[in-house]
Amino acid sequence: MRKYETIFILQPELSEDDIKSVTAKAQDVISTYKGECFRMDDWGIRKLAYPIKKSARGRYYYLRFDGDSALIAELERRLRLDDKVLRYQSVNITDVPERAVPEKKVEAPEVAAEETAEEVAVSEETTGGEA
Amino acid sequence: MSDERPTSTPSTYQRPASSGPRPAGGPGQRPAGGPGGNGGPRKRRPFQRRKVCRFCAEKNLVIDYKEPRTLRFFITERGKIVPRRISGNCAAHQRHITEAIKRARNIALLPIAANHAVS
């Protein structure tokens, strides 16, 4: 068993159900491959340092789990195939000494109220195009 | 044809010759033709360089790619990684810093270049 941490970035304008489906899928992969999930943190919507897939912000998720190489391969395959995931990165932290992770990242209040309406419109467009 | 060849060959020969002494002379001392002139070889730099690695001095500082705020010290305004001769890190910690910055860039916690056109 190795220790891993994975950060994946979701599209910012996803609905609750869409976010749930991605996180549930990740949990499902971990449980089917007999891994152990320790934390699943939502860092909230943050501004990206550079746009990814035309998106200037994204919802960060931090995943800390133990597992084997088959698990990480499957998890990354799932994340890669998912259009809702903008970016993911897994790091093997077996050799890194464990330290107290802060409970939740202090996130800057990035999302302004007037932008949400615009983002909803964009999300409708994208879902319409995909369907 | 015959005129170009002698002109082109000296230029290619000159290039390594001119670029050769520059990196050798840059980090070393500049004895005579420096900016100070009469200052001589004694004062080479206008300011004192910090020699101590920040992470060796403070053991509880941790290099983590998830903390872009600490990594910001080690990138330039253009987003480049600050070299060791300027940041003063030791070799081992500079390696960790470099690794962390590259990871942070990958997940968009740090910029890859200065001005990305944000759509």
Side-chain angles (χ1 to χ4, degrees), chain A residues 5-7 9 43 46-52 54-56 60 62 87-93 99 101-102 105-106, chain B residues 60 62-69 72 100 102-119:
Chain A
E5 59 184 9
T6 298
I7 293 177
I9 308 173
W43 288 0
R46 297 167 62 121
K47 196 166 184 298
L48 302 178
Y50 52 90
I52 301 176
K54 309 261 172 75
S55 174
Y60 280 73
Y62 173 79
R87 190 63 63 92
Y88 60 89
Q89 175 173 271
S90 306
V91 179
N92 183 350
I93 53 165
R99 69 191 182 97
V101 188
K105 284 267 169 174
V106 209
Chain B
N60 49 2
V62 189
I63 302 170
D64 191 358
Y65 72 96
K66 298 189 290 297
E67 289 174 6
R69 243 178 284 157
R72 288 253 172 208
K102 286 175 178 176
R103 280 175 179 168
R105 278 177 183 167
N106 191 27
I107 49 168
L109 292 175
L110 285 181
I112 293 174
N115 293 319
H116 294 282
V118 177
S119 58

Side-chain angles (χ1 to χ4, degrees), chain A residues 1-7 62-70 72-73 75-76 88-98, chain B residues 63-66 99 103 106:
Chain A
M1 292 283 262
R2 300 183 197 143
K3 298 176 184 172
Y4 288 105
E5 59 184 9
T6 298
I7 293 177
Y62 173 79
L63 195 55
R64 163 80 188 83
F65 58 96
D66 285 1
D68 294 324
S69 59
I72 197 84
L75 179 67
E76 290 206 327
Y88 60 89
Q89 175 173 271
S90 306
V91 179
N92 183 350
I93 53 165
T94 312
D95 302 328
V96 181
E98 199 94 16
Chain B
I63 302 170
D64 191 358
Y65 72 96
K66 298 189 290 297
E99 190 73 37
R103 280 175 179 168
N106 191 27

Side-chain angles (χ1 to χ4, degrees), chain B residues 58-97:
Chain B
E58 271 192 66
K59 291 289 183 195
N60 49 2
L61 271 181
V62 189
I63 302 170
D64 191 358
Y65 72 96
K66 298 189 290 297
E67 289 174 6
R69 243 178 284 157
T70 54
L71 297 176
R72 288 253 172 208
F73 289 110
F74 301 101
I75 62 173
T76 64
E77 289 176 12
R78 305 220 61 151
K80 295 177 171 187
I81 300 174
V82 172
R84 199 155 73 82
R85 66 167 190 274
I86 294 175
S87 67
N89 285 334
C90 70
H93 281 122
Q94 180 74 13
R95 269 200 306 279
H96 297 159
I97 282 282

